[in-house]
Amino acid sequence: MFERSAPVFPPPGLNRTAGAVEQGCVNQKYDVIILGAGAAGLMCAMEAGKRGRRVLLIERADRIGKKILISGGGRCNFTNLHTSPDNFLSANRHFAKSALSRYTAADFVRLVEKHGIPYHEKKLGQLFCDRAASDITAMLEQECRDAGAAIRLTTKVHGVSRDEVHRDEARDNGQFTVEAEDGIFRAARLVVATGGLSIAKIGATSFGYDLARQFGLKIQPPRPALVPLVFSDRDRRRWCDLAGVSTEVVASTGIAKQSFRENMLFTHRGLSGPAILQISSYWDGKEAIYIDLAPDRNLAADLRKADLRKNVRRDQPAWISLLREILPRRFADRWLETYPPAGNSDRNFVDAENQLHRWEVKPEGTEGYGKAEVTAGGVDTDELSAKTMESRNVPGLFFIGEVVDVTGQLGGFNFQWAWASGFCAGQAV
C-alpha cells in the first residue's frame, strides 16, 4: 500500500517483480497525482481509483492522516449530522453548497458503518469514534488499497511544472510533472490536498498556496481559525490567574453578527474553549468580541424574587450571592472586584447586569497557527469549479480540503468539507 523507496502497489500493466517496480517509480506516468494524504486527499484517491484511474498519492510525512489521528482528542470528530452551508466561512458563502449536497454526512456515516467502526454522537450532531481515530485512517487506507491507489510516504516534493499544450489537449497529455526527492512523476491531472498552515508540528506548510500562486490562482489571505485568543497586557494581569476556570457563555462579534453558546475557558494567556474557538474564525483582528456571562438569565428579576422571598434588601451582598450561583466562585469574586455595582439603586443593578451580559473583550491577537485547528482563507473559490474543484483557468489542476477558502465551524464540519470536496474531485479527475 505504502511507497517509500518503491511502489508497493504499482499501476496496472507494470511488471510486479522488485526490479521492475523500483525502476517504475522514476519517470512514471499516472492518470492522477494527489499531493497530500490527509482527509481530502485520501477520499479523492479512493474515489478516483474506483473509477479505474491510475492514482498516486504523495505524502511528505511518514504516515497518512496525521491530522485525523490527533483530532477530537484522538477519537476523531469525523462529521456532523447537522452539516449545512451555514456552518462554513468563505468569501463566497455559496461555493460549498454543491459539494456538500453531493456528498453528505449520511454518506460518510454509511462508509463508517460499512467498515464496522463503532461511533457515537457526543452533542450537537458531532460524531466521534468509540475507539480511536486510527479506525478512520485504517478505513481510508483499506478503501485506497481496494481501489488500487498507490500511496507514497516520506516523499518531499521539490517542484511541480506543467507542459504548455493546447487547452483542448491539456487533460490528455500528462502535462503535470512532479519532481520529488527520489523520483519524477507525471499525470494529466494534479490534485492539491496539502492542507493549510495550522499545526506546523505535524508538517503543515504553505506548499499548496505557493503552488496555487505559481499557476496564477488568487489566494484569500490565510489566517488562523478555531484558535484561542490572547488578552491584552492589562487583561492578562486581571484575569489569567483564573487559568482552568470554565463557564458557559454566549460569545459574539459585532460586524460578522455571529454568536455561539458553549463553554469558555480561561488560559494562562487569554481565552479558549469551544465558544471562543468558534468566534475566533469570525474575528477580524481589530474589533471587540462580546461575551454574555449569564445567558438567558434576568438577574434583576432574580434579585426582586429574592427580596420578596427572603424579605431582605436588594444590596451588594445579595448581588454577590447571586453571581456566585451563576459563575464559578473564583471568577465571580474577581468579577466583583473588577466591576462592583456603583450603588444599591435599581439603576445600579441594571447597569451591573448589562455589563455581565455584554462583557467587552479586545483581544491582543490569537495563539497563531501553532494552536489553530484550521486555516481560514486559501485558494479563492472564484478560481475553482464548485462542482469539481478544478481550476477554471488551468485544466487538470484541482484544489480540495483546507487549502481552499472554505472553513468549517467547530464540530466535525471541516472533515465533512474534506470528504465532500475530495469526493467531488475524485469523481472528476
Side-chain angles (χ1 to χ4, degrees), residues 57-78:
L57 182 54
I58 296 177
E59 171 58 51
R60 69 196 299 270
D62 60 356
R63 64 195 305 185
I64 64 170
K66 277 197 166 183
K67 200 165 187 179
I68 297 173
L69 292 169
I70 67 171
S71 67
R75 295 284 181 89
C76 187
N77 178 194
F78 56 81

Side-chain angles (χ1 to χ4, degrees), residues 402-424:
E402 189 179 348
V403 75
V404 179
D405 176 33
V406 175
T407 304
Q409 295 171 357
L410 194 68
F413 300 108
N414 284 292
F415 275 127
Q416 187 56 40
W417 167 246
W419 314 136
S421 59
F423 173 85
C424 290

Side-chain angles (χ1 to χ4, degrees), residues 1-3 6-12 14 16 21 30 55 145 148-151:
M1 176 64 188
F2 297 115
E3 304 178 5
V8 176
F9 294 97
L14 282 182
R16 291 180 182 264
V21 169
Y30 293 81
V55 179
R145 178 185 290 116
I151 301 177

Side-chain angles (χ1 to χ4, degrees), residues 78 109 112-113 117-121 127-130:
F78 56 81
V109 169
V112 169
E113 291 176 344
I117 297 173
Y119 66 91
H120 62 277
E121 180 180 354
L127 299 188
F128 288 78
C129 297
D130 285 355

Side-chain angles (χ1 to χ4, degrees), residues 124-188:
L124 305 173
Q126 302 169 12
L127 299 188
F128 288 78
C129 297
D130 285 355
R131 295 185 300 233
S134 56
D135 284 349
I136 299 297
T137 55
M139 174 191 77
L140 296 169
E141 176 189 338
Q142 183 64 51
E143 288 287 329
C144 286
R145 178 185 290 116
D146 293 345
I151 301 177
R152 190 177 188 86
L153 298 176
T154 58
T155 300
K156 186 175 181 179
V157 173
H158 292 310
V160 176
S161 59
R162 175 174 179 262
D163 301 336
E164 291 301 327
V165 296
H166 190 276
R167 183 184 179 90
D168 294 337
E169 300 173 354
R171 290 179 65 90
D172 301 309
N173 281 274
Q175 78 273 25
F176 291 100
T177 299
V178 176
E179 298 180 31
E181 286 179 324
D182 55 357
I184 296 174
F185 310 96
R186 293 184 173 86

